[in-house]
Amino acid sequence: MKNKKAQESEQSGLSRRRLVKYAGVGATLAAAAPLVGGTPAQADDERKFGNGGNNGRMWRAGDHHIHSEYSGSFDTKTNPPTFRKGADAVYPIVTNAIMSKYFGLTWAMCTDHGGPTHSKVNLEQAYPDLLRSRVLVPEVLQFWGMEFDAPALDHHTACS
């Protein structure tokens, strides 16, 4: 039997996962405030690697495997299966981009889990969010990728 506090929390619509998500959004807003002028990590990159030498090319820090709220779960009791955001990761794509910028990354790849109807979820929900995120955080090159499980290996990323 659940304790009274857990029942009240459930009834109010709050869960641990939802609280973590809201805390993450708050942290994102706090972290985004000083980004107007760039970050110290970006300035360090320009000093280390130059800002135009080497025919304009330079090494850039990034992450090729970032999950968002679209690494969700599917209720297979319904037909077609119903998608639920936030099973494995809770942050929106734009939050990941803002935090990437804050920590000095210049590119990031969204690689969410699949599922029975993930193509439809990607087309109708996730990819439009990525396009919005590219507009909102243009300083971070944002790519679309997919997570694959390879035989006898861990999961990997394929990008487009």
Side-chain angles (χ1 to χ4, degrees):
M1 177 158 190
K2 295 182 182 177
N3 66 32
K4 187 176 179 182
K5 202 173 213 177
Q7 285 177 328
E8 287 172 4
S9 179
E10 262 182 36
Q11 288 169 352
S12 71
L14 291 178
S15 66
R16 285 185 195 160
R17 185 170 294 279
R18 201 175 258 181
L19 288 173
V20 168
K21 181 176 182 177
Y22 293 148
V25 170
T28 300
L29 294 174
L35 292 181
V36 176
T39 65
Q42 289 169 328
D44 288 344
D45 281 350
E46 288 194 13
R47 279 194 297 275
K48 245 189 264 180
F49 302 114
N51 58 1
N54 229 7
N55 294 326
R57 296 177 304 212
M58 62 188 280
W59 289 101
R60 298 189 179 272
D63 190 330
H64 72 91
H65 197 101
I66 300 174
H67 290 276
S68 75
E69 64 188 339
Y70 293 106
S71 282
S73 64
F74 290 86
D75 180 358
T76 55
K77 293 177 186 134
T78 62
N79 189 13
T82 306
F83 176 71
R84 290 195 189 106
K85 287 183 180 179
D88 189 42
V90 296
Y91 300 114
I93 292 170
V94 69
T95 299
N96 290 339
I98 290 168
M99 296 309 289
S100 294
K101 179 181 174 183
Y102 179 76
F103 286 105
L105 302 181
T106 59
W107 62 271
M109 186 173 305
C110 186
T111 52
D112 288 315
H113 293 169
T117 59
H118 81 276
S119 295
K120 183 176 181 176
V121 171
N122 287 343
L123 176 65
E124 295 175 358
Q125 298 176 47
Y127 192 70
D129 277 3
L130 175 68
L131 296 178
R132 278 188 287 277
S133 183
R134 286 174 175 169
V135 171
L136 293 170
V137 191
E139 303 83 359
V140 177
L141 294 172
Q142 297 173 60
F143 299 96
W144 188 255
M146 295 188 322
E147 179 177 281
F148 287 98
D149 291 329
L153 297 171
D154 198 358
H155 57 281
H156 296 280
T157 303
C159 61
S160 61

